Amino acid sequence: MKHIYHFDQSITFRKTKEDFGGLSNMAAGFELSINEIPIKTSEAIYQACRFPHMPEVQEKIIEQKSPMAAKMVGKPFRDKTRSDWKDVRVNIMEWCIRAKLAQNFIRFGSLLEKTYNKKIVEDSHKDDFWGAISDNHSKTLMGENLLGRLLMKVREIYISDNKYSLL
């Protein structure tokens, strides 16, 4: 379901170098370790989860230094994406966000905290599933904004008394 977000009532991010760019899955500098495997970005682990049946592709994705490179490595194999991807991708993204927070608790947690209680919206040029697209007059954005909604869900836990359950 598409939602409407007002710029003046939202925290938006488009580029990773912006104030809230670290909220993006494409942001570098939030390294992870999953099963003792170092992973440079949450985007890399998200993309690797598309191919549980192709460990050689997962390995190539994970060894990339940048999030965009990780995404591009998997692109030629998209037709071999796991069959249940559309059913599990949102849960996988939430797991990636939680891993990013658990392993970058102060830095990523502080960024989430700085969004206060505003809506978090990925301001996208074309993706109204993970983000929202601005109208021609740039006063509102419309989209499902699932990345933003997952970030808000995790933020609610982070600012609650259950904050340390995220570790």
Side-chain angles (χ1 to χ4, degrees):
M1 182 170 114
K2 297 199 187 213
H3 300 265
I4 295 175
Y5 300 93
H6 297 272
F7 272 101
D8 59 349
Q9 298 167 6
S10 305
I11 297 293
T12 62
F13 60 93
R14 180 179 287 219
K15 297 178 181 171
T16 59
K17 301 292 183 198
E18 295 172 344
D19 287 347
F20 291 97
L23 297 171
S24 172
N25 222 31
M26 293 301 217
F30 296 96
E31 294 189 8
L32 305 169
S33 177
I34 307 291
N35 295 332
E36 299 181 16
I37 299 169
I39 302 167
K40 294 274 185 206
T41 64
S42 55
E43 180 66 17
I45 192 63
Y46 175 77
Q47 293 298 330
C49 286
R50 283 177 167 267
F51 308 104
H53 56 295
M54 299 176 74
E56 66 287 347
V57 173
Q58 287 183 315
E59 194 173 316
K60 284 182 188 174
I61 290 169
I62 287 170
E63 67 190 20
Q64 299 307 305
K65 294 193 183 341
S66 80
M68 185 54 76
K71 185 175 183 176
M72 291 302 110
V73 164
K75 201 169 186 178
F77 303 99
R78 290 253 171 99
D79 61 329
K80 294 177 178 74
T81 295
R82 60 190 287 173
S83 61
D84 64 348
W85 185 243
K86 287 199 180 216
D87 298 326
V88 300
R89 64 185 171 161
V90 175
N91 289 337
I92 289 172
M93 181 63 81
E94 182 176 354
W95 176 78
C96 292
I97 292 167
R98 286 172 173 258
K100 181 178 177 179
L101 178 58
Q103 296 184 36
N104 299 274
F105 201 68
I106 302 300
R107 187 162 162 240
F108 191 60
S110 301
L111 190 57
L112 282 172
E113 214 168 25
K114 286 178 189 168
T115 65
Y116 303 105
N117 63 349
K118 289 191 169 196
K119 302 286 184 191
I120 301 173
V121 185
E122 180 182 18
D123 178 3
S124 177
H125 290 294
K126 58 185 178 184
D127 185 352
D128 66 354
F129 179 76
W130 290 115
I133 300 170
S134 66
D135 68 7
N136 293 333
H137 307 297
S138 293
K139 293 188 179 177
T140 61
L141 300 116
M142 188 181 335
E144 292 186 53
N145 188 40
L146 281 162
L147 178 60
R149 289 169 42 207
L150 290 172
L151 288 163
M152 289 183 281
K153 180 180 177 183
V154 172
R155 176 187 63 194
E156 288 307 307
I157 301 166
Y158 184 81
I159 62 174
S160 77
D161 292 339
N162 295 326
K163 157 188 228 169
Y164 296 106
S165 69
L166 293 165
L167 290 172

